[in-house]
Amino acid sequence: MDTGVVVVGAGPTGLMLAGELRLAGADVILLERLPEPTGQSRGLGFTARTMEVFDQRGLLPRFGAFHASTAGHFGGLPLDFGVLDGIHFQANGIPQWRTERVLAEWATELGADIRRGTGLTALTDHGDHVEVATEGPGGAGTLRAAFVVGCDGGQSTVRELAGIAFPGSAATMEMFLADIEGAGLPPRPIGQRVPGGMAMNAPIGDGIDRVIVCERGTAPKRRAEAPPFAEVAAAWRRLTGEDITGATPLWTSSFTDSARQAERYRRGRVFLAGDAAHVHLPAGGQGLNVGVQDAVNLGWKLGAALRRDSPVDLLDTYHDERHPVGARVLMNTQAQGLVYLGGTEVDPLRTVLAELMAFDEVNRHLVAMVSGMEIRYGDVAEDDHPLVGRRVPPVELVVEGRATDPVALLRDAKGVLLGLAGGDKLARVAEGWADRVTFVRATRRSDAGPDPLAGADAVLVRPDGHAAWVAPCAADAAQALERWFGPPTR
């Protein structure tokens, strides 16, 4: 084998996966057809759940100062993220190029082999390994790996070569996005609608405006390259009456309301993540976040498979857990597109929805949906602890007299078994998995407020931060450890 895993695509999803694989002890080669990062930034931040993911790997300080906001929206109607107390809020003002740079530096430090200017041209799954053909600066080549993961976007070459169906709805409209300098425009927030479509702009610093424009009734074009700025400016003028032709475009892009999801996230030794697995209207900026979380779910599982210490069906849980999440994102972005981009016929719906969102419970439900806070993996029994299947929140713990939290305990991407009620017997059981799971005897700070761990004697936390088992319950610790981390070391 040339490597354990070939990852295709060096966007946030592929870079996050490369780092996760290295933490799991896997060799990884990351192929990116572009010779250099584009420097473009469709995304300008990330959600609370992605902040937690970055935090558990110690990455947040690398982003420098940023603004954490409680303000969001659903279909252009305001959402208050402050209803979810005690968590990170969404981070604003972080351009995607900075996210990619942080993740690339991290993955490289961990030993990932990132090969820019190298694309994948063919793929063959031989059953016991995958062989890929590449084209790069040195000409054509071949790589052999145990697994291949396509993180190569909505037009994924990996998905096409693997023969994975991509059903869904075709585009009905096209939106333009551009960063422009010197426009001198007044801000147009997302909730401010215009007749005939959508026109939004916001200052993003250094005299630069981010403009997004969409004309209803205009058929989307099949494009091989970015739209010319003249086309963007013409659409903006038709909708707003404002002339931005004198501004300097830094870059332009387009996207559509197409909603598609891969039929399977795994076929044999080939996997899909990020936009290669799901494309949708970028409502609320969920795409980057879902892709990063795909990577964190998959990375430790591939690492375990390569070490040959994983349960036989562990890799199948990637599709089982993440496919429903992707389907939910497609559903909510389609709903937001209808509410925000529809004409006057949806005004009654917008009015009713705005009235409902005034209720805290509705607001909380929608915030959890668009931030990923609602995610709960697995078949959960009725008598299971409320934490089972969910991310363990950053609760305050005391370990050996020092304050910490579960997020900090996940820095090295190993599993964590928290003993919260004594734990001598639990510690002895955990010895068989000490190479994969860290046993930690911890207590809750008595003055730390509401306790999401109330009633829990022990919690088994997966490397991705989700609770796999909470005691007391029917299954004992050894069963839970073997279910998620394979047989004990003899």
Side-chain angles (χ1 to χ4, degrees):
M1 295 293 174
D2 296 294
T3 189
V5 184
V6 169
V7 176
V8 184
T13 301
L15 291 166
M16 189 74 199
L17 179 58
E20 291 290 302
L21 288 165
R22 290 301 299 139
L23 286 175
D27 291 332
V28 55
I29 294 174
L30 194 159
L31 306 178
E32 170 54 57
R33 63 178 180 81
L34 296 177
E36 298 292 340
T38 66
Q40 298 180 4
S41 296
R42 285 193 178 193
L44 290 173
F46 32 80
T47 63
R49 186 100 297 167
T50 302
M51 288 182 70
E52 289 181 351
V53 165
F54 288 157
D55 196 15
Q56 75 184 14
R57 299 298 186 246
L59 292 171
L60 275 187
R62 297 183 182 225
F63 289 95
F66 59 82
H67 175 58
S69 170
T70 62
H73 75 92
F74 188 90
L77 300 171
L79 274 180
D80 177 15
F81 280 69
V83 298
L84 298 181
D85 295 328
I87 61 167
H88 291 300
F89 300 125
Q90 60 183 0
N92 293 335
I94 301 176
Q96 186 170 319
W97 63 260
R98 191 193 306 174
T99 300
E100 292 180 1
R101 185 178 66 187
V102 165
L103 295 179
E105 290 174 352
W106 173 64
T108 301
E109 289 167 13
L110 292 171
D113 181 355
I114 301 177
R115 302 183 183 182
R116 297 189 181 274
T118 303
L120 179 145
T121 59
L123 180 157
T124 306
D125 187 341
H126 292 281
D128 60 348
H129 73 281
V130 186
E131 188 172 296
V132 300
T134 65
E135 185 70 41
T142 301
L143 292 172
R144 290 160 53 91
F147 301 103
V148 171
V149 186
C151 304
D152 50 341
Q155 304 298 320
S156 171
T157 301
V158 173
R159 187 185 65 236
E160 182 178 345
L161 292 173
I164 299 175
F166 201 44
S169 59
T172 64
M173 61 181 68
E174 182 177 32
M175 300 183 188
F176 298 133
L177 181 153
D179 283 356
I180 60 177
E181 204 170 20
L185 291 171
R188 286 182 177 271
I190 191 167
Q192 182 178 320
R193 305 210 317 154
V194 297
M198 163 196 182
M200 185 194 96
N201 74 284
I204 59 174
D206 298 326
I208 299 169
D209 282 307
R210 164 68 53 89
V211 300
I212 304 176
V213 58
C214 174
E215 283 187 279
R216 266 194 310 274
T218 302
K221 297 179 180 178
R222 299 180 65 89
R223 297 181 185 273
E225 54 188 27
F229 179 59
E231 192 174 351
V232 179
W236 184 268
R237 185 164 192 167
R238 285 192 293 271
L239 288 181
T240 68
E242 297 168 347
D243 184 3
I244 60 173
T245 56
T248 301
L250 303 182
W251 59 276
T252 65
S253 182
S254 65
F255 53 89
T256 73
D257 63 340
S258 174
R260 296 186 180 276
Q261 185 177 27
E263 192 171 65
R264 299 288 306 173
Y265 283 12
R266 176 192 184 189
R267 170 163 286 179
R269 291 182 171 270
V270 180
F271 295 79
L272 301 175
D275 288 352
H278 38 72
V279 296
H280 50 82
L281 186 75
Q286 296 176 75
L288 180 152
N289 300 277
V290 179
V292 165
Q293 291 159 41
D294 285 347
V296 174
N297 185 288
L298 180 58
W300 70 277
K301 297 174 181 179
L302 287 174
L306 287 164
R307 293 193 308 268
R308 301 179 185 275
D309 59 19
S310 67
V312 66
D313 65 342
L314 184 64
L315 291 180
D316 290 330
T317 67
Y318 170 63
H319 169 88
D320 295 341
E321 293 176 348
R322 295 304 298 173
H323 195 274
V325 172
R328 188 103 172 129
V329 171
L330 261 68
M331 179 275 294
N332 89 61
T333 52
Q334 287 176 298
Q336 291 191 66
L338 178 65
V339 170
Y340 186 61
L341 299 174
T344 54
E345 73 279 0
V346 302
D347 285 348
L349 175 62
R350 286 175 58 83
T351 300
V352 170
L353 185 57
E355 291 177 0
L356 291 173
M357 289 168 65
F359 293 93
D360 281 350
E361 193 60 32
V362 175
N363 196 75
R364 187 176 292 110
H365 176 81
L366 294 176
V367 167
M369 180 189 295
V370 300
S371 67
M373 291 292 173
E374 68 175 6
I375 295 170
R376 191 176 192 184
Y377 294 146
D379 298 322
V380 181
E382 188 174 339
D383 57 349
D384 274 334
H385 190 279
L387 197 56
V388 173
R390 300 189 186 279
R391 270 194 62 85
V392 178
V395 295
E396 295 182 66
L397 300 172
V398 178
V399 177
E400 297 180 350
R402 296 190 303 273
T404 187
D405 60 44
V407 169
L409 297 174
L410 290 164
R411 292 286 189 262
D412 61 1
K414 291 176 67 175
V416 174
L417 181 58
L418 287 175
L420 299 167
D424 290 341
K425 180 180 178 183
L426 194 64
R428 289 193 294 273
V429 171
E431 288 175 358
W433 289 268
D435 56 332
R436 287 155 275 169
V437 179
T438 302
F439 175 74
V440 178
R441 188 179 279 105
T443 57
R444 279 281 283 133
R445 278 186 49 187
S446 58
D447 61 343
D451 186 3
L453 301 180
D457 295 336
V459 181
L460 178 60
V461 188
R462 306 185 331 183
D464 60 2
H466 283 256
W469 169 84
V470 179
C473 67
D476 63 23
Q479 286 177 294
L481 285 161
E482 188 155 357
R483 165 68 187 92
W484 289 103
F485 296 95
T489 301
R490 302 295 181 185

